[in-house]
Amino acid sequence: MPGAVAPVRDALSAAEDALRAAGCDTPRLDAELLIAHAMGVEREALFLSPDGGVPPAAARRAMELVRRRVAREPVAYILGVKGFRHIDLQVDSRVLIPRPETELLVELALPLPGGARVHDVGTGSGAVALALEQERPELAVSASDASPAAVEVARANAAALGLEVPVSVAAGLPPGEYDMVLANLPYVREDEWPRLAPEITRYEPREALVSGADGLDAIRALAAEAPSGTRLALEHAPAQAEAVRSLLREAETHRDLAGRERVTVGRAP
């Protein structure tokens, strides 16, 4: 390609080496995603033309993206998007990056009967509420978050996806009658924060992750404020499963794809 500065394979190797030296967990995958984004192509295109050239403008963009990743900025924030189940979400440092284990919250709500009222507390990017609405549009899905900035992101995602999910600014559970309340609230212990990866401590919102000495302040508050008998599905750390079960009636814990106790479903006392 006229004006190309390097073959794709060389650009990938150089980026991979830099990311590995910076301590990134998946340097090859990150390099592929960043260079493909800089070139404006799908990642698969890199495999089809490994000897093809990287145009100068794309090479400059790629260098800047790799520099950001070397500083341990998460790939999802660099690209501005993260896939979650069957949807793509806009994400930035105002919200947590959706994790695969959180998909379990959606799965547990899928069997609800049509018309069931489902509310997602602490929605962040809107991942849980919007994925559920996309897969079960006959449900009455709503969402809220204590952060006005996060609500802006969730509303933008709803609009971009064409999904009509009302998202409100609210601390805790907004007044209303719900058949099921889903919540991925902060559950990191205060003493855990300094030991987390730089991708988290430098870039993700601390208030969306940390919740007191045992990590259960937000979960405990929701269980206490929800009307008695309200069905709750609460994401938590595996080591917190027993403690979360003790906060609810008829509690049952479900395991994520890695086999770890991840979501407890029960009724508010």
Side-chain angles (χ1 to χ4, degrees):
M1 182 180 296
V5 296
V8 166
R9 69 167 75 251
D10 292 349
L12 284 172
S13 294
E16 180 182 2
D17 290 345
L19 296 175
R20 179 174 288 106
C24 299
D25 288 340
T26 55
R28 182 67 181 189
L29 173 61
D30 294 357
E32 292 168 356
L33 291 170
L34 297 176
I35 289 175
H37 184 75
M39 293 179 66
V41 300
E42 296 296 323
R43 178 175 159 231
E44 291 73 18
L46 304 180
F47 311 139
L48 296 176
S49 302
D51 295 317
V54 181
R60 289 192 294 272
R61 286 194 297 272
M63 287 178 62
E64 171 59 17
L65 299 183
V66 170
R67 182 197 65 76
R68 291 170 63 184
R69 184 68 186 113
V70 164
R72 304 297 288 272
E73 184 174 354
V75 171
Y77 287 163
I78 297 172
L79 302 183
V81 65
K82 178 67 175 179
F84 184 80
R85 292 188 68 81
H86 309 300
I87 58 176
D88 287 330
L89 297 156
Q90 301 168 29
V91 293
D92 57 38
S93 58
R94 292 174 290 177
V95 296
L96 290 185
I97 299 167
R99 269 67 165 177
E101 55 266 28
T102 301
E103 295 188 10
L104 182 56
L105 282 172
V106 180
E107 293 169 8
L108 291 170
L110 289 176
L112 289 169
R117 299 156 298 186
V118 187
H119 188 80
D120 175 27
V121 177
T123 195
S125 65
V128 170
L130 296 174
L132 184 60
E133 174 71 14
Q134 191 265 339
E135 294 178 51
R136 288 291 312 278
E138 67 275 22
L139 297 176
V141 181
S142 57
S144 62
D145 200 288
S147 165
V151 168
E152 288 180 4
V153 176
R155 287 174 175 168
N157 277 320
L161 293 165
L163 297 172
E164 296 185 6
V165 173
V167 186
S168 60
V169 178
L173 180 64
E177 295 185 4
Y178 307 109
D179 296 293
M180 192 171 196
V181 174
L182 313 175
N184 177 21
L185 296 171
Y187 56 78
V188 172
R189 300 193 319 267
E190 291 278 0
D191 64 344
E192 288 180 301
W193 178 256
R195 301 194 297 272
L196 297 180
E199 285 85 349
I200 297 173
T201 58
R202 294 179 189 171
Y203 296 97
E204 295 200 81
R206 187 182 190 278
E207 64 275 11
L209 287 158
V210 178
S211 190
D214 65 355
L216 293 175
D217 283 2
I219 289 174
R220 194 179 290 112
L222 177 60
E225 74 170 322
S228 180
T230 302
R231 193 176 181 207
L232 304 174
L234 307 171
E235 180 175 333
H236 51 74
Q240 297 168 328
E242 183 176 355
V244 175
R245 286 194 295 270
S246 73
L247 299 174
L248 305 174
R249 295 191 284 110
E250 304 170 23
E252 179 184 5
T253 300
H254 299 259
R255 295 178 181 271
D256 60 22
L257 290 176
R260 297 167 296 194
E261 294 188 309
R262 181 63 61 182
V263 174
T264 293
V265 179
R267 296 193 180 276

